[in-house]
Amino acid sequence: VFKGLFGSKEPKEPKPEIPWQHLRDVSQLNKIAKDSKTKPVAIYKHSTTCGISRMVLRQIESTYDLDASQMDIYYLDLKAYREVSNEVAVRFQVIHQSPQMIVIKNGTAVYADSHGGVNVPALHQYL
């Protein structure tokens, strides 16, 4: 009972750092489309002024368990890079939402979800 209330002295397994690549330029979308032909690429669209986006980002950071060899993952601050966010929607034919996770394989969006639907386990099915 006390362990549950006050925590355990046992060391916790450290979570792997998320190997974020920052998506800041429309030209990077060509590289994403090309790279997605050899391994899946995820794009996380984040709004820095949205509480839901902050909550979803924390959830991703606490549960992320993939390494860079399995999937490339991009972080897009859609407030700072609105033009890039708009081009992601057009190029990969997904309706803009935020927060949003998009998975690209073979140059095409194969998964897009937003808000509470964004979660790390969903990424595993695209490996």
Side-chain angles (χ1 to χ4, degrees):
V1 173
F2 289 111
K3 275 187 183 180
L5 290 174
F6 300 109
S8 171
K9 298 247 184 209
E10 296 173 29
K12 292 183 179 178
E13 248 336 275
K15 290 283 182 191
E17 287 290 319
I18 298 177
W20 293 116
Q21 297 180 52
H22 291 276
L23 180 51
R24 297 179 175 140
D25 192 276
V26 170
S27 66
Q28 289 175 275
L29 300 179
N30 291 330
K31 180 180 181 339
I32 288 171
K34 181 181 176 216
D35 290 350
S36 76
K37 294 179 183 197
T38 55
K39 73 176 169 180
V41 178
I43 300 171
Y44 174 66
K45 293 171 65 176
H46 180 73
S47 172
T48 55
T49 59
C50 173
I52 294 171
S53 276
R54 275 191 301 279
M55 180 183 70
V56 169
L57 181 59
R58 276 190 228 118
Q59 183 269 333
I60 292 169
E61 291 172 335
S62 70
T63 60
Y64 196 82
D65 60 353
L66 304 174
D67 69 43
S69 68
Q70 294 174 290
M71 178 179 282
D72 289 338
I73 185 162
Y74 284 81
Y75 173 94
L76 172 57
D77 175 345
L78 63 90
K79 293 285 189 178
Y81 302 99
R82 177 68 69 183
E83 176 189 357
V84 178
S85 178
N86 291 341
E87 187 60 28
V88 166
V90 170
R91 173 90 52 108
F92 298 112
Q93 300 179 344
V94 294
I95 295 171
H96 163 77
Q97 296 188 55
S98 113
Q100 184 175 41
M101 184 72 79
I102 302 163
V103 176
I104 313 298
K105 283 185 85 167
N106 297 313
T108 304
V110 294
Y111 167 83
D113 211 337
S114 66
H115 297 84
V118 173
N119 63 75
V120 172
L123 299 178
H124 287 258
Q125 65 187 323
Y126 300 100
L127 299 178

